[in-house]
Amino acid sequence: MNLHIESIEGGTYLAAIRDGDRQYYVFDENNKPKAFHCLTEIKSFLVNDKFEKVYLKQDTPYDEMCGLDTKHEKLEMEIDWH
């Protein structure tokens, strides 16, 4: 089971858990994707879950700023979660 964290505008993060071919977002009490404000908040919320790998995904505007094609893959990197 892996954790995929996506950084979105406004300093907000969404977390999705991928288990095999299934991926599902972490939901709040209103059954909507839970918005987190930092990685520490995600770690505290998922303190009882164990993940093989954790990835941070971020959309960067650099290609667009340089006049390149904006249909690019988001920057994704594995991060240490211990």
Side-chain angles (χ1 to χ4, degrees):
M1 185 165 67
N2 295 330
L3 177 63
H4 292 261
I5 301 168
E6 186 171 351
S7 173
I8 57 176
E9 290 184 28
T12 304
Y13 299 88
L14 297 177
I17 297 171
R18 181 174 290 164
D19 191 8
D21 291 336
R22 292 185 35 216
Q23 177 172 311
Y24 52 93
Y25 282 93
V26 175
F27 288 95
D28 64 15
E29 61 278 354
N30 297 317
N31 208 27
K32 295 185 179 191
K34 182 165 178 56
F36 296 94
H37 297 97
C38 66
L39 298 180
T40 304
E41 187 179 353
I42 298 170
K43 196 177 264 192
S44 294
F45 190 81
L46 300 172
V47 69
N48 294 321
D49 295 304
K50 303 293 181 213
F51 301 103
E52 294 173 35
K53 295 183 179 183
V54 177
Y55 297 95
L56 177 61
K57 192 185 312 183
Q58 183 173 14
D59 194 11
T60 61
Y62 300 115
D63 288 344
E64 182 179 355
M65 290 170 49
C66 296
L68 299 174
D69 184 13
T70 58
K71 295 179 182 177
H72 62 280
E73 292 293 317
K74 294 181 179 186
L75 172 65
E76 185 175 53
M77 66 184 97
E78 186 177 347
I79 60 173
D80 185 27
W81 198 247
H82 302 293

